């Protein structure tokens, strides 16, 4: 029976999931209350979806086997049925119920995600600036800045204030929670929280040009005391960031991890103005960074 | 097509008599539906952007009341004369039809002249399409309407020539009718431009 | 601009493409000249206004574009098979996924569907042609030259590289300096105008040209879906027209719509794009539903179950499709209230869609199912599309979407709906109506090979992608690093893609094989069909029906066969038939569009103006044209009817 063969093909990949490596499956391995809320919502929906799949696939299989043309039923004439009101009401009503059952928790979660998961702990704020093709993290209260990695205290809600210099990016740390866009001249806010110390991979989920695939960063969650210690260490040992250095960082290209004992917010907040350049001045067509980009956008060279 | 194309119905106005004409007129109505969607999108764009003036002038600082009023007067009158043209067509008077079409066309040309003047004026004040998002959307919205009017003028000229060559036929009558639909439509769009762009711009 | 920038250089892939293009062109010219076919090509094809030939040309282009888009897909899959591959560099990968997406949707799925509707709709409603045959030819040629313009970007000037969504500011002058995105804006504009005209044309055709007795509620389901699709086109495509025009203004004339400075707003582009984009996916899926309905009912040998509910649900889906676009950017931070509202409207689409699924299932219940290739595609659609559909509902849940958005979960979802929906439908329709188009049947054995290879390959390729997405792999990555654990599933996906590729090759071979050895269809009704297209000869004479058929029920031809033993024409009923004349103007006007477009892409304004002048000239000539077509005399009809039916 052919249908059985390809049902098997459909089921096979499920084995990938259950055959291990759940910890690799970041979204299904939530490491904080935000991701967990989304995980619960996902699992809630998966239940209904599997139910729908089972119903449809069963009917499908049964009908295919029973009603295929065979030599025995050569004389069979299918009935001329136009429909069946009762059945049609049933299969309109059930999806409506399912949609309702999904909509209610969805709306709840969508609103809940805009607020810190806990009231008890005061959140910390980190400004995130996406640039071609790196992530810049500024801690306004601690007055330090990091590039391509970020430390956060575990158990504390973190308000990430997202913006971008240039193309739109999306800030995503799947184990800690869903993503949000970072856009030029705008500020969006994403609240995440880690349960316990650990290292979580983050990346840009929105295509932003040539080297977008390399826009990865690490989120290091630490205990409160370790985090404090790290902040102090940075304050004492890290170099200062100045406008010149900052402009250099913003140039299209890849950079490694960096740490500074002050933030660029002192002279520019990209969320407040459209900016192509570090200095926020309107762009000139013939300047250097543009040339660099021209090159990267052509074949030829 | 087929026999249907020859279903000639004497009881209908000339422009509706052949099946082909009926198809064309319905098709044109649907086309106007698409045009509504097009202008709706342009209006939406304008309304999203009209306060985003960047370093350029705002609507209140820029708009020239006088030119706009003259434009409005010209176009509204032309819509009326276009209606008179159809009226003459229904009465079977080709000379009246052509005369009113010519008046319509001249009024339309007047409208375009004033609009171009208005645009040139803005550009001289440094308010170009490239200045700000507001101006980009202003020029594209109003310019699209102006381009439509210009096309309408060219189209009417072609139809007048055909009327002179061929007189009243179901085909020429249908063309006159369709161009009149088009013209009234542009009039309606202008009323929206007048309120949503100029009045709103001068109030806010 | 330097010549070295004009022609894309420096890559073996590109040189190979250059050589292939030149060789193909030389080959075509040679064959046409050698067999003295130029005149034939011009008279029979380039100037035709016959809906059936136009449909065939659409489908040929669609299959070619499926090839091009498929090669792009295989290149992407090759690059992603293993971590840190050096097969394609970042820039190339970016261009390739952009052209893949754009071509597959606009130059493959759309023309395939439009081609089938050109061939089938007039036949199904018992009409001689569409309402505006001349306009129909113009629509086709605009699509053709739009597609051509888009495709030459590969070798001239450089391809677009900002994704098929072309989000700003990335696609603006600030970050895309080449001409690639100009191509995107202009080529899509040209073919989009053609699509809009098709929408108007078929809406009028269906509303006004149905055979006597065919009330709206007696229309075949495919015709119904096309009717609604036309409405979607008419309201959605003008939005694309405006969006692309604004993009062109920004890129070519330096306006500030979507820029980062002077008040520009990149989010406006995303909104405009998806206000068109979401209806667009329904523009390709609704007709697919129509095709499945026809095929399922024919091969279950049973009337379509719940006809009225089917119609109702298409209308419902069409309406909802205009109020869901925000689900493409829940993550933009529009606020929980907005996201919730659009979540709910999106999930609501599942309700009418579910109704349709059950109606198909109950059409086959109590039927007598014949497993032809067309039927296999249609049956496979049901479970596969349900997988795409339920994951679509999951994506619709805003709070959860933050975890799926822009990941391979999304890639898997939309390929499950686009391939299991549209591509399966195109293949089903192709096999089903092939005898109507060409007079012979596609070989069933080879057809089944294609089916199993492609269908299995499809699942092997895309099912793992759901899990890649959950593992954190985002779309549009040209490479990934080794330690992430993504490699095994990527290898599997590539294997699946190769299977699909092999399936496509078998299909191409089948087309060749069947043309030579395929079974001829002498009856005009090889599948025991139910609708009026099967009442004509295969292929139909160019006037379709010698006399207009009279319709008594939904399955018009089925009833005729039951009651009268078929569609019989008495020779004394014949009257002269009026037909539209051919015209070369749609062709050369579209060339003018191409020239103008090319000028615009490169900012060679003189060239653009020359092209525009020819367009205007074409319009003026059309206005003065006084050609009302011609009549086929009764004797001629008799002769042609006998010739067409001599096998029967
Ligand atoms: C023939 C087999 C196909 C394969 C193996 C395939 C593979 C892929 C892959 C791997 C991507 C993701 C690229 C990336 O994000 O890095 C992609 C994107 C895409 N595919 Fe396909 N695809 C196939 C057919 C289709 C079809 C038939 C359609 C539409 C009808 C389609 C529409 C798209 C679109 C719209 C995108 C998004 C492009 C973008 O991100 O801008 N694909 N495809
Ligand atoms: Cu959508
Ligand atoms: Cu979707």
């Amino acid at each position: 029976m052919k249908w059985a063969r390809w049902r098997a093909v459909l089921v096979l990949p499920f084995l990938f999931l259950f055959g291990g490596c759940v910890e690799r499956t970041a979204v299904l391995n939530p490491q904080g209350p935000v991701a967990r809320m989304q995980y619960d919502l996902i699992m809630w929906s998966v239940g209904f979806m599997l139910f729908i799949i089972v119903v449809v696939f069963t009917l499908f299989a049964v009908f295919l086997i029973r009603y295929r043309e065979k030599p025995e039923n050569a004389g069979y004439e299918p009935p001329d049925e136009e429909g069946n009101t009762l059945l049609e009401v049933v299969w309109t009503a059930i999806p409506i119920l399912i949609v309702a059952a999904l909509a209610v928790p969805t709306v709840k979660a969508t609103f809940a995600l805009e607020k810190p998961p806990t009231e008890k702990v005061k959140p910390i704020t980190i400004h995130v600036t996406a640039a071609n093709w790196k992530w810049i993290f500024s801690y306004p209260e601690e007055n330090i800045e990091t590039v391509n990695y970020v430390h956060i205290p575990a158990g504390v809600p973190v308000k990430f204030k997202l913006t971008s210099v240039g193309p739109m990016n999306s800030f995503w740390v799947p184990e800690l929670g869903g993503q949000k866009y970072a856009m030029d001249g705008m500020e969006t806010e994403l609240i995440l929280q880690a349960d316990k110390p650990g290292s979580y991979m983050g990346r840009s989920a929105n295509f932003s040009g040539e080297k977008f695939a390399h826009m990865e960063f690490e989120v290091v969650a630490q205990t409160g005391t370790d985090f404090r210690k790290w902040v102090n260490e940075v304050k004492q040992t890290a170099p200062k960031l100045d406008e010149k250095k900052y402009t250099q960082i913003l140039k299209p290209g890849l950079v490694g991890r960096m740490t500074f004992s002050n933030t660029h917010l002192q002279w520019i907040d990209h969320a407040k103005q459209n900016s192509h350049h570090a200095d926020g001045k309107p762009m000139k067509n013939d300047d250097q960074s543009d040339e660099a980009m021209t090159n990267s956008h052509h074949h030829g060279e | 097509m087929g026999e249907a194309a020859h279903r000639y119905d004497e009881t209908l106005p000339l422009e509706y008599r052949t099946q082909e004409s009926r198809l064309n007129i319905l098709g044109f109505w649907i086309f106007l539906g698409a045009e509504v969607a097009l202008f709706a999108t342009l209006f939406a764009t304008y309304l999203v952007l009209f306060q985003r003036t960047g370093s350029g002038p705002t609507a209140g600082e820029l708009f020239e009341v006088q030119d706009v009023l003259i434009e409005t007067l010209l176009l509204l009158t032309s819509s009326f004369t276009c209606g008179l043209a159809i009226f003459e067509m229904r009465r079977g008077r080709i000379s009246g039809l052509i005369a009113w079409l010519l008046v319509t066309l001249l009024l339309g040309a007047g409208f375009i002249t004033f609009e171009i003047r208005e645009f040139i004026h803005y550009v001289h004040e440094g308010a170009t399409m490239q200045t700000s998002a507001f101006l980009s959307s202003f020029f594209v919205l109003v310019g699209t309407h102006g381009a439509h009017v210009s096309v309408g003028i060219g189209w009417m000229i072609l139809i007048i020539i055909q009327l002179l060559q061929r007189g009243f036929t179901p085909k020429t009558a249908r063309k006159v009718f369709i161009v009149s639909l088009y013209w009234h439509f542009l009039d309606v769009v202008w009323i929206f431009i007048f309120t949503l762009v100029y009045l709103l711009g001068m109030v806010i | 601009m330097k010549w070295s920038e004009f022609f894309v250089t420096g890559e073996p892939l590109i040189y190979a493409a250059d050589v292939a293009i030149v060789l193909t062109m030389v080959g075509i010219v040679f064959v046409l000249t050698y067999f003295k076919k130029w005149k034939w090509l011009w008279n029979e094809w380039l100037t035709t206004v016959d809906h059936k030939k136009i449909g065939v040309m659409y489908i040929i282009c669609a299959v070619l574009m499926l090839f091009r888009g498929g090669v792009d897909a295989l290149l992407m899959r090759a690059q992603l098979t293993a971590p840190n591959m050096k097969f394609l560099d970042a820039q190339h990968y970016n261009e390739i996924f952009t052209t893949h997406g754009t071509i597959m949707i606009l130059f493959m799925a759309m023309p395939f569907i439009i081609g089938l509707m050109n061939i089938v709709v007039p036949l199904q409603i018992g009409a001689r042609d569409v309402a505006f045959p001349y306009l129909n030819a113009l629509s086709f040629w605009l699509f053709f030259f739009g597609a051509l313009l888009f495709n030459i970007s590969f070798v001239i000037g450089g391809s677009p590289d900002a994704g098929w969504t072309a989000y700003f500011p990335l696609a603006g002058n600030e970050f895309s300096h080449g001409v690639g995105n100009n191509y995107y804006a202009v080529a899509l504009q040209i073919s989009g105008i053609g699509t809009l005209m098709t929408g108007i044309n078929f809406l009028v055709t269906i509303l006004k040209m149905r055979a006597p007795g065919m009330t709206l509620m007696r229309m075949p389901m495919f015709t119904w879906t096309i009717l609604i699709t036309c409405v979607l086109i008419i309201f959605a495509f003008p939005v694309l027209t405006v969006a692309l025009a604004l993009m062109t203004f920004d890129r070519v004339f330096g306006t500030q719509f979507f820029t980062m400075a002077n008040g520009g707003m990149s989010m406006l582009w995303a909104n405009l794009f998806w206000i068109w984009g979401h209806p667009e996916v329904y523009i390709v899926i609704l007709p697919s539903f129509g095709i499945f309905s026809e095929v399922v009912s024919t091969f279950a040998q049973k009337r379509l179950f719940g006809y009225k509910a089917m119609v109702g649900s298409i209308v419902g889906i069409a309406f909802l499709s205009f109020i869901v676009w925000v689900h493409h950017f829940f993550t933009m931070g529009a606020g929980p209230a907005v996201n919730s509202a659009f979540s709910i409207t999106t999930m609501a689409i599942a309700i009418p869609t579910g109704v349709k699924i059950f109606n198909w299932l109950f059409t086959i219940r109590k039927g007598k199912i014949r497993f032809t290739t067309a039927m296999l595609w249609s049956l496979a659609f049901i479970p596969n599309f349900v997988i795409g559909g339920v994951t679509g509902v999951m994506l619709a849940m805003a709070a959860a979407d933050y975890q799926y958005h822009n990941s391979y979960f999304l890639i898997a979802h939309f390929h499950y709906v686009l391939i299991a929906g549209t591509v399966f439908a195109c293949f089903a329709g192709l096999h089903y109506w092939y005898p109507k188009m060409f007079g012979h049947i596609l070989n069933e054995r080879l057809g089944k090979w294609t089916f199993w290879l492609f269908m299995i390959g499809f699942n092997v390729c895309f099912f793992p992608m759901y899990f890649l997405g959950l593992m954190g792999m985002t779309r549009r990555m040209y490479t990934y690093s080794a330690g992430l654990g993504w490699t095994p599933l990527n290898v599997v996906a590539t294997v699946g893609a190769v299977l699909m590729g092999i399936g496509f090759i078998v299909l191409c071979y089948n087309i060749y094989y069947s043309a030579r050895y395929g079974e001829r269809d002498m009856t005009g009704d090889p599948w025991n069909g139910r609708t009026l297209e099967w009442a004509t000869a295969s292929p139909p004479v160019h006037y379709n029906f010698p006399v207009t058929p009279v319709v008594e029920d939904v399955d018009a031809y089925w009833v005729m066969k039951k009651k009268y033993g078929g569609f019989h024409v008495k020779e004394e009923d014949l009257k002269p038939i009026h037909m539209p004349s051919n015209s070369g103007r749609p062709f050369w006007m579209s060339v003018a569009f191409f020239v103008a477009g090319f000028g615009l892409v490169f900012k060679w304004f003189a060239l653009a103006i020359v092209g525009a002048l020819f367009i205007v000239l074409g319009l003026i000539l059309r206005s003065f044209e006084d050609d009302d077509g011609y009549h086929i005399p009764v004797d001629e009809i008799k002769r042609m009817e006998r010739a067409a039916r001599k096998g029967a």
Side-chain angles (χ1 to χ4, degrees), chain C residues 187-479:
Chain C
L188 265 55
Q189 186 70 283
I190 292 174
S191 67
I193 295 169
T195 307
L196 181 58
M197 297 190 316
T198 300
I200 297 174
N201 204 342
F202 277 78
L203 186 56
V204 177
T205 305
I206 297 174
L207 287 179
K208 283 280 189 188
M209 297 176 67
R210 278 167 286 132
M214 186 179 282
T215 57
L216 283 178
M217 290 311 271
R218 281 186 190 163
M219 289 196 312
M221 193 48 61
F222 180 62
T223 301
W224 252 116
T225 58
I226 297 299
L227 175 74
I228 301 299
T229 301
C230 289
V231 177
L232 288 182
I233 289 177
I234 288 160
F235 288 108
F237 266 76
V239 183
L240 178 71
T241 305
V242 171
L244 292 173
L246 303 188
M247 180 175 186
T248 312
F249 271 110
D250 262 16
R251 289 194 52 89
V252 178
F253 301 109
T255 54
Q256 310 281 353
F257 288 102
F258 312 122
T259 55
M260 295 192 298
N262 297 315
M265 193 180 189
S266 56
M267 288 184 298
L268 179 63
W269 165 267
N271 278 279
L272 292 178
F273 182 86
W274 286 113
I275 289 175
W276 161 77
H278 192 86
E280 164 66 14
V281 300
Y282 282 89
I283 289 170
V284 296
I285 206 70
L286 286 182
S288 309
F289 289 171
I291 295 171
F292 293 130
S293 300
E294 301 291 333
V295 175
V296 164
S297 150
T298 300
F299 294 112
Q301 313 194 53
K302 187 160 160 287
R303 170 200 277 270
L304 189 64
F305 193 90
Y307 178 92
K308 285 192 194 120
M310 288 296 229
V311 173
S313 52
I314 312 167
V315 176
I317 292 173
F319 170 75
L320 287 171
S321 75
F322 277 101
I323 50 169
V324 298
W325 80 93
V326 170
H327 65 211
H328 293 278
F329 42 82
F330 281 141
T331 50
M332 202 176 260
V338 173
N339 282 357
S340 297
F342 280 91
S343 259
I344 293 171
T345 52
T346 306
M347 282 191 265
I349 291 195
I351 299 164
T353 314
V355 168
K356 297 188 80 71
I357 296 279
F358 283 104
N359 277 318
W360 285 311
L361 283 175
F362 276 70
T363 304
I364 55 178
R365 191 183 72 138
K366 297 195 191 158
K368 195 159 81 172
I369 306 166
R370 286 157 60 200
F371 290 92
T372 58
T373 309
M375 186 62 164
L376 285 177
W377 285 114
S378 308
L379 291 173
F381 150 78
I382 294 176
N384 285 298
F385 188 81
V386 165
I387 295 178
V390 295
T391 49
V393 173
M394 293 169 71
L395 281 154
M397 302 165 65
D401 174 68
Y402 304 159
Q403 284 283 35
Y404 311 130
H405 183 61
N406 274 355
S407 75
Y408 264 77
F409 190 90
L410 172 73
I411 299 279
H413 153 70
F414 71 66
H415 283 89
Y416 262 88
V417 287
L418 281 170
I419 295 184
T422 304
V423 177
F424 283 17
C426 291
F427 288 160
L430 186 71
H431 284 84
Y432 183 56
W433 285 305
Y434 204 83
K436 217 23 59 182
M437 300 176 212
F438 298 108
H440 60 267
I441 297 171
L442 276 179
N443 184 281
E444 281 284 307
R445 242 175 86 88
L446 289 171
K448 285 175 185 166
W449 270 101
T450 306
F451 168 75
W452 288 108
L453 281 166
F454 197 93
M455 203 277 301
I456 293 172
F458 160 66
N459 277 286
V460 173
C461 181
F462 289 101
F463 204 85
M465 289 188 192
Y466 283 118
F467 297 99
L468 281 172
L470 297 176
M471 288 174 171
M473 179 161 172
T474 57
R475 69 191 290 194
R476 300 174 175 176
M477 300 180 75
Y478 80 98
T479 191

Side-chain angles (χ1 to χ4, degrees), chain C residues 66 70 73-74 76-77 80 93 97-98 100-102 104-105 108-109 163-165 408 411 414-415 418-419 423 454 461-462 465 475-477 497 500:
Chain C
L66 179 58
L74 286 175
M76 289 191 291
R77 280 317 319 163
L80 292 179
Y93 189 87
F97 73 67
T98 303
H100 165 78
T102 315
M104 282 298 197
I105 294 207
M108 190 288 285
W164 89 284
T165 49
Y408 264 77
I411 299 279
F414 71 66
H415 283 89
L418 281 170
I419 295 184
V423 177
F454 197 93
C461 181
F462 289 101
M465 289 188 192
R475 69 191 290 194
R476 300 174 175 176
M477 300 180 75
M500 294 166 86

Side-chain angles (χ1 to χ4, degrees), chain C residues 33-51:
Chain C
T33 313
Y34 185 81
F35 290 104
K36 302 203 173 62
K37 286 286 188 191
W38 284 104
K39 222 175 159 151
W40 166 83
L41 184 71
W42 179 255
N43 289 335
E44 294 291 318
W45 295 96
L46 302 191
T47 61
T48 187
V49 294
D50 180 344
H51 68 99

